[in-house]
Each structure stands twice: as C-alpha cells, then as structure tokens.
Amino acid sequence: MARILSEKDIGLLKKLAPECEDLLCSGSGVPYRSILPPLANHYSKDAIDFHRRVSGISPGDLEYLISLILSGEESLGCVPPDYIIIFLNVVEEKLGEEAAATVMQKYEENLECHS
C-alpha cells in the first residue's frame, strides 16, 4: 500500500538514518513510502550496519514499525531477505518470539502475493 510518510515516520527514519536529508529514492526519484526499504537499500553500508541501526531503536518505536507492517502500510518487499532475518532477530530480542513470528507471517503472506 503506497503511503505518504507521516511526521512520526520521518522522525523514525531519521533516527535510524541520521544522514537522511532528502526523502526521495535516489534511483527512482520517487518519495519514500516506507522506512525499512530505504534504510536497508540506501543508508546501511552492509548487514552489520543495518543491524546496528535497527538494534538502536526503542521497543516503542519498534512496536510502531511493526504496527505499520501488520497494517500493510510498511513494505518489506524491497528489503533484502538477509536484512529481514536481521530485523526479525531484533524484534525477537526486544519484543519476543511471538512478535517476530507475526512479522514473519506477514512477510511470507506478502511474498505469496507477488509470486
């Protein structure tokens, strides 16, 4: 679901990627519609950097991000699979196995939609 990032979304993206100045995808020129894809694809240098960034957010911000994923507002489709595993590990560590399993289920459902 395409969306316009709210002020809260932009604030979270800038917490995760403080160097984020422009909210446009450098490849397509289209405004960002999600938080995790640009973090993974434009700001994180590698998987270790991605892990460092997502590990640093508060449980409350993580719960907010998960609520966006579950509502379909936050896309995981462009996030590399190895980064999804990292994200799920952080979710499990901070919020528990059930929260991680719920996100994984949503991720898998969306993969089936694109097959």
Side-chain angles (χ1 to χ4, degrees), residues 68-80:
L68 294 174
I69 292 167
L70 297 180
S71 73
E73 294 175 87
E74 176 70 15
S75 172
L76 298 178
C78 294
V79 179

Side-chain angles (χ1 to χ4, degrees), residues 9-80:
D9 299 334
I10 293 167
L12 181 53
L13 178 57
K14 290 188 178 204
K15 278 184 193 177
L16 293 165
E19 69 274 31
C20 174
E21 293 178 11
D22 191 4
L23 297 173
L24 295 177
C25 174
S26 59
S28 68
V30 173
Y32 294 143
R33 303 286 185 194
S34 291
I35 298 165
L36 289 173
L39 178 67
N41 297 312
H42 297 291
Y43 298 108
S44 297
K45 295 177 187 108
D46 53 28
I48 294 167
D49 187 38
F50 180 78
H51 181 266
R52 179 189 61 78
R53 291 171 187 262
V54 296
S55 293
I57 63 173
S58 71
D61 283 340
L62 194 54
E63 288 173 346
Y64 173 71
L65 192 52
I66 290 170
S67 74
L68 294 174
I69 292 167
L70 297 180
S71 73
E73 294 175 87
E74 176 70 15
S75 172
L76 298 178
C78 294
V79 179

